[in-house]
Amino acid sequence: MSTVNHTCSALLFDMDGTLIDSAAAIEQAWKVWADNAGVTMQAPSTYHGRTARSFLPELVSADRLEAELQALALLEENPQTEIPLIAGAKQILEAIPADRWAIVTSSVQSVALARLSAAQILTPAVFITGGDVAKGKPAPHCYELGASCLGVAPADCVAFEDSLAGVQSAQAAGCFCIAVEGTADRSELARHADIVVPTLESVQVSYQDGQLHLQIHL
């Protein structure tokens, strides 16, 4: 086993599939929505990491878009399956100061809050959701905004992601990106991420002298 050491000022976390295991809840909500809307869903990899507003226009006509966004949000705000923490997430969050991390998610705020509550994670002070930027992932704006709200440059942040769109977003913003396997396979993630780990348990974080020190075990 080898170890990579990295130092930064702040951590930016995607939420779904990175901090919390919400894949089952997401896919169930989208399946129910698709059945109700009379559309055929593609593979989950096509929508994980993207905002519903960016993806639904591929499935429904413009005159139905707002109503279908509301219908989907209502389903996602009321998850019908358990949403546990990703292995290793609790240990990392407990090791870092509250003003040194943010969530950067494609979910709308109401859905993100519901999932954080289900996973028993306190909402961080900096909480960027899909509605906060004009263009969602893979565009860089959400990660740029997260870093700015923490008062640091994206290049001085480490972003944790699980989806290809999310990794591309973090990289485009200039963040050092650690990808977590699960939503996408290692080969896809490795083409864009700086490092790919099987779980967050591979990453140890400590805070010393005003900096976050990461040990990444490969």
Side-chain angles (χ1 to χ4, degrees):
M1 178 183 292
S2 61
T3 299
V4 174
N5 295 298
H6 189 86
T7 301
C8 64
S9 292
L11 304 182
L12 304 174
F13 294 92
D14 173 56
M15 184 183 71
D16 297 299
T18 302
L19 287 178
I20 61 175
D21 186 3
S22 53
I26 292 171
E27 290 169 21
Q28 180 196 51
W30 277 78
K31 183 181 185 304
V32 172
W33 171 81
D35 290 345
N36 292 341
V39 301
T40 300
M41 286 298 299
Q42 301 173 31
S45 60
T46 61
Y47 57 82
H48 277 305
R50 296 175 60 185
T51 64
R53 185 169 289 278
S54 73
F55 187 70
L56 257 64
E58 299 173 15
L59 300 174
V60 300
S61 59
D63 63 308
R64 294 175 55 193
L65 180 60
E66 294 304 321
E68 297 299 350
L69 283 167
Q70 292 180 21
L72 177 59
L74 184 60
L75 290 167
E76 293 194 298
E77 287 166 15
N78 296 278
Q80 300 300 304
T81 62
E82 183 181 0
I83 300 181
L85 283 172
I86 293 289
K90 184 174 185 289
Q91 290 81 356
I92 291 178
L93 295 182
E94 289 179 346
I96 56 180
D99 62 349
R100 294 302 183 104
W101 71 283
I103 285 178
V104 179
T105 177
S106 294
S107 296
V108 297
Q109 187 178 72
S110 59
V111 172
L113 288 171
R115 290 181 186 153
L116 289 181
S117 177
Q120 299 183 354
I121 296 180
L122 294 178
T123 306
V126 177
F127 183 50
I128 309 301
T129 62
D132 293 322
V133 291
K135 289 186 177 180
K137 302 171 186 179
H141 311 307
C142 55
Y143 277 104
E144 292 170 342
L145 180 59
S148 176
C149 289
L150 288 172
V152 299
D156 203 17
C157 295
V158 170
F160 290 85
E161 267 289 352
D162 70 300
S163 70
L164 187 57
V167 170
Q168 291 171 323
S169 173
Q171 290 273 272
C175 301
F176 184 90
C177 186
I178 299 176
V180 183
E181 292 181 62
T183 302
D185 64 44
R186 172 175 283 271
S187 62
E188 287 182 303
L189 296 170
R191 287 198 292 270
H192 300 278
D194 292 288
I195 290 176
V196 181
V197 296
T199 73
L200 289 181
E201 293 174 302
S202 300
V203 182
Q204 293 179 320
V205 183
S206 61
Y207 180 68
Q208 297 175 339
D209 302 321
Q211 290 286 292
L212 295 168
H213 301 271
L214 282 67
Q215 286 190 323
I216 307 149
H217 303 292
L218 303 175

